[in-house]
Amino acid sequence: MDQTQAPILDALQQIERRKVHGFGAPGHHQGAALPRDLAKVLGKRVFEADVITPKGLDDRTEGEHVLQRAHEIAAEAWAADFCRFVTGGSTQSLHTALAAVAGPGDTVLLAANVHKAERAHALAVGLKAEIVPVMIDDAFDIEHGVAPEALTAALDAHPDAKAFVVVSPTYFGVTSDIGALSAICHARGVPLICDAAWGGAFAFCEALPDDALTKDADVAVYSVHKTMGALTQGSALLAQGELVDRQRLWMAYELFETTSPSVPILASLDVARREHALHGEAIWGKALERAADLRRRLGKIKGVRVFGRDDLPAGSDLDETKVLVDVSALGASGYAIDDWLNKEYRVSVGLSDARHLLAIVAPGTTATDVRALARGLAACAKGLRKGTLLLAPTGEAPPLRSLGVEMAMEAGEALFGAAEQVPLGEAEGRVAAEMIAPAPPGVPRLVPGQRISAAHVAWLTANRDAGAFFLDPIDPSERMIRVVAEAPPQALAAE
């Protein structure tokens, strides 16, 4: 198909030339009812493009097939059999993918470092989520992908599994050996779903790691907004092969997608695909040059350690536009350094935690951005070494390897049953009744039904005190945690 086409953008341009006298939604009528202060910030053209898909972008019955053509062109661009643009982020795409392969009571295998989206869908639908261990880098204290032998063991233990979900690349840019994992799954008739939120551009540049679909993943989910230039919440859901019923996948998409999708988001997805299909090599060649420059600059800073290819586990590859640095030797938490960089240099990194900063270099990253981060971190490190700058310390969080996953009861029973709140410091041995997934990266550290260990209490406490912000807990002070209620003594006696 003609990759120079952008059907959604073309349809919007036609609307601009021939405005619609609308008597339906949206109520601002292409910006006719737009407050001045909002127009100054967002501009009127955003609202002119904010139409609905039928009787707006297309006719009443979508007879021009604007969206359908955009999907078909995108499927070919990613060398897939099926594509749908999603306006609810990759969370919605992952919910859709799981709904296409498993129903209530079914077992699915989830890599231990999946996003909260997969765990949330399993909770809501009643899936049995079995966890596949991931490789852990003890030197950097980060999680990588799934080793083939770990997947084989999980499938042996759960032969009834309906699908396996792996995160590749991880938030830190490290891929799993998708080819090997796919072969293991396919030998048993199990589809592999790849949460490739950060890997959407891989198909369009040889210097980036291999795209998951080229390594026989059955479904791939891409957050096109994360690195490829689409508007926030723009995601793409791709599928290939025969293991996933495409009619069921289509129905799941229609089930979860809003009937009023954001046309500006859809247009940005359409154009991001076109630009990458036509110019992906040049776009990412420049980004990789910027990333290499940033790596060189940060590598010269005393007390800062940059993750690189020499640190990769066997079978993995690295997206070098994800620049991970370990700042623990500086004696200050990554959270505190992140805040200082933002305040003093107006630099915002993609992720910070107790001991790391992650800089994500994308096509929009400029040489000025690179110099600002390098200068800012160098100044911060110098001040910390000399004692002229005091920031919150890293803290003594236990390593990720110590955070096991012991399920004490069914997740749904824990979430929806009787619960109470207890101080975090007194939660050891209790059963979690809420999900706690610090974001980014949004990986759950506790899920409903999980036994809370001493390591969990220590890890959460240390990260909270080092400056973490947990989005999930019921208690915004992060001092209390929701746990399954214990039966009162009289109830136990009666039993």
Side-chain angles (χ1 to χ4, degrees):
M1 302 186 76
D2 186 357
Q3 293 294 328
T4 65
Q5 293 183 354
I8 300 173
L9 181 66
D10 292 343
L12 276 177
Q13 290 173 334
Q14 290 181 21
I15 293 171
E16 199 171 66
R17 289 192 292 269
R18 297 186 62 202
K19 290 192 179 295
V20 177
H21 300 287
F23 289 87
H28 60 72
H29 291 294
Q30 294 184 269
L34 182 59
R36 287 184 181 180
D37 54 352
L38 188 58
K40 287 180 180 179
V41 174
L42 295 182
K44 187 175 180 180
R45 296 197 71 171
V46 173
F47 290 85
E48 290 175 345
D50 186 36
V51 297
I52 57 176
T53 44
K55 298 177 71 176
L57 189 69
D58 206 330
D59 61 26
R60 182 178 61 83
T61 62
E62 297 189 354
E64 296 297 320
H65 305 296
V66 174
L67 275 176
Q68 292 87 339
R69 286 188 289 118
H71 289 153
E72 289 173 3
I73 295 171
E76 184 181 82
W78 270 288
D81 299 322
F82 174 99
C83 175
R84 289 295 182 272
F85 288 156
V86 176
T87 59
S90 287
T91 291
Q92 181 184 325
S93 292
L94 289 162
H95 291 180
T96 301
L98 283 167
V101 296
D106 286 340
T107 297
V108 292
L109 301 180
L110 304 180
N113 60 341
V114 294
H115 189 268
K116 61 182 289 187
E118 289 95 320
R119 301 302 297 264
H121 180 83
L123 270 170
V125 176
L127 302 181
K128 295 178 181 177
E130 299 293 343
I131 302 304
V132 183
V134 296
M135 294 177 280
I136 294 180
D137 184 323
D138 291 318
F140 277 83
D141 196 33
I142 58 173
E143 293 159 316
H144 293 315
V146 172
E149 54 270 24
L151 175 59
T152 298
L155 286 167
D156 287 344
H158 305 285
D160 58 340
K162 298 296 184 181
F164 166 54
V165 183
V166 63
V167 179
S168 181
T170 65
Y171 212 102
F172 306 115
V174 178
T175 67
S176 291
D177 187 345
I178 297 299
L181 298 178
S182 295
I184 293 168
C185 283
H186 294 169
R188 308 186 190 215
V190 175
L192 183 147
I193 298 170
C194 186
D195 179 349
W198 290 95
F202 290 1
F204 306 104
C205 179
E206 288 293 330
L208 292 171
D210 292 325
D211 177 72
L213 293 172
T214 68
K215 295 300 179 181
D216 295 327
D218 299 281
V219 176
V221 169
Y222 305 119
S223 289
V224 183
H225 72 94
K226 281 186 165 70
T227 57
M228 295 177 65
L231 288 172
T232 297
Q233 294 185 201
S235 174
L237 173 65
L238 284 296
Q240 65 177 357
E242 303 300 325
L243 275 180
V244 176
D245 184 333
R246 285 200 288 280
Q247 284 193 348
R248 183 170 166 181
L249 183 59
W250 187 349
M251 287 191 295
Y253 168 78
E254 296 295 343
L255 178 68
F256 287 102
E257 178 66 312
T258 174
T259 54
S260 304
S262 167
V263 168
I265 294 177
L266 291 172
S268 72
L269 286 163
D270 195 21
V271 174
R273 179 274 313 158
R274 182 187 68 183
E275 293 304 296
H276 277 73
L278 299 179
H279 311 296
E281 291 290 348
I283 290 170
W284 285 95
K286 179 59 70 175
L288 285 162
E289 289 178 11
R290 295 262 192 267
D293 183 28
L294 180 60
R295 286 175 176 275
R296 284 193 295 270
R297 292 172 184 267
L298 298 184
K300 296 177 182 178
I301 301 173
K302 186 177 180 181
V304 169
R305 192 162 54 117
V306 182
F307 184 90
R309 288 191 173 277
D310 292 342
D311 302 300
L312 287 173
S316 298
D317 199 357
L318 177 65
D319 173 4
E320 296 192 47
T321 65
K322 309 300 185 298
V323 184
L324 176 68
V325 294
D326 184 342
V327 295
S328 58
L330 297 176
S333 81
Y335 304 117
I337 293 174
D338 185 1
D339 292 342
W340 186 88
L341 287 171
N342 192 283
K343 179 181 178 182
E344 300 296 333
Y345 282 81
R346 298 302 292 159
V347 167
S348 175
V349 295
L351 171 147
S352 60
D353 62 23
R355 60 179 287 185
H356 304 105
L357 299 176
L358 177 70
I360 301 167
V361 179
T365 304
T366 66
T368 301
D369 296 332
V370 168
R371 289 193 296 269
L373 173 54
R375 281 198 306 267
L377 189 53
C380 183
K382 183 178 180 180
L384 289 168
R385 288 196 307 271
K386 288 188 171 183
T388 57
L389 176 63
L390 298 176
L391 297 176
T394 300
E396 295 297 327
L400 287 174
R401 190 177 292 279
S402 68
L403 303 183
V405 182
E406 178 195 347
M407 296 301 292
M409 61 190 300
E410 290 292 331
E413 183 183 351
L415 179 66
F416 300 114
E420 59 184 336
Q421 284 186 287
V422 300
L424 178 58
E426 300 174 13
E428 180 184 351
R430 301 297 296 271
V431 178
E434 63 176 326
M435 186 185 297
I436 298 182
V443 176
R445 298 306 172 195
L446 283 176
V447 296
Q450 186 175 349
R451 181 79 64 188
I452 302 171
S453 68
H456 288 115
V457 173
W459 190 91
L460 291 169
T461 301
N463 275 271
R464 179 199 65 198
D465 294 346
F469 174 62
F470 301 150
L471 298 176
D472 300 278
I474 298 299
D475 173 27
S477 74
E478 301 171 3
R479 301 284 168 182
M480 308 289 285
I481 188 168
R482 190 173 187 265
V483 297
V484 173
E486 292 184 336
Q490 59 269 29
L492 291 174
E495 291 177 2

